Structure formats: structure tokens, C-alpha cells
Amino acid sequence: FDQDKDGLQVMKDHYVRGGLGDSVVKARLEGILQDMLAPIRERREEFAKDRGQVLQMLKEGTMRAREVAAKTTDEVKAAIGLKHF
């Protein structure tokens, strides 16, 4: 996850020498993950402002999922010879 290759190498070298505490590694990873998740959180906050849009998105997603599930079910039935059900 870490794009800072130089900083990562410094940590690796410290690990090899010994004395690199878990809390240091965890704090760095937590910071990286927070940065990665920030755009997702921002999008979620924008969507939360319009509940109607969220419900519409859920309805559309449900319809697409049902179509895919129906196709998959038909393929499975055909594969195992249950063409009459």
C-alpha cells in the first residue's frame, strides 16, 4: 500500500537491524489506509445528502443483480439438466 518507496526502505532496514516496534508499522499503515479511504468517504458524504438518489441507485443495482442472478440460475439449471423448472 505504501507508495513512499524510500520511506518504506528505511523501515525495512530498521526492521532488519531490529528495534522497529509494531506500533510504528501500524501507525504508518493506518495513515496510508486513511488516505486511501478519504475519497470513498467524501463520495459517501455527498451521496448521503440525497437519500432519494441513494434509493434509486439501490433499486437500479437490485434490478441489475436480479438479471445476472436469473441468467446464472438458468445456466446452472441447463448444466444439471433441470430445464423444466
Side-chain angles (χ1 to χ4, degrees):
F1 298 109
D2 197 335
Q3 300 300 312
D4 177 9
K5 301 304 177 195
D6 293 334
L8 187 58
Q9 187 60 50
V10 169
M11 286 187 78
K12 287 180 181 180
D13 293 342
H14 190 169
Y15 176 79
V16 170
R17 284 190 317 269
L20 180 63
D22 287 347
S23 62
V24 173
V25 176
K26 289 178 183 179
R28 185 177 182 122
L29 178 59
E30 194 267 337
I32 292 165
L33 292 176
Q34 292 297 334
D35 291 343
M36 288 176 64
L37 293 173
I40 296 169
R41 286 192 184 103
E42 290 169 8
R43 254 182 102 194
R44 186 205 174 282
E45 287 175 12
E46 286 300 313
F47 287 136
K49 293 176 184 176
D50 186 351
R51 185 177 171 99
Q53 180 186 7
V54 171
L55 292 175
Q56 184 60 35
M57 291 167 57
L58 289 171
K59 286 178 187 177
E60 291 171 7
T62 298
M63 294 308 296
R64 285 194 306 267
R66 285 181 180 164
E67 291 171 8
V68 170
K71 182 181 176 200
T72 302
T73 300
D74 290 343
E75 291 172 0
V76 169
K77 287 179 180 179
I80 61 174
L82 295 175
K83 297 178 184 178
H84 303 291
F85 296 100

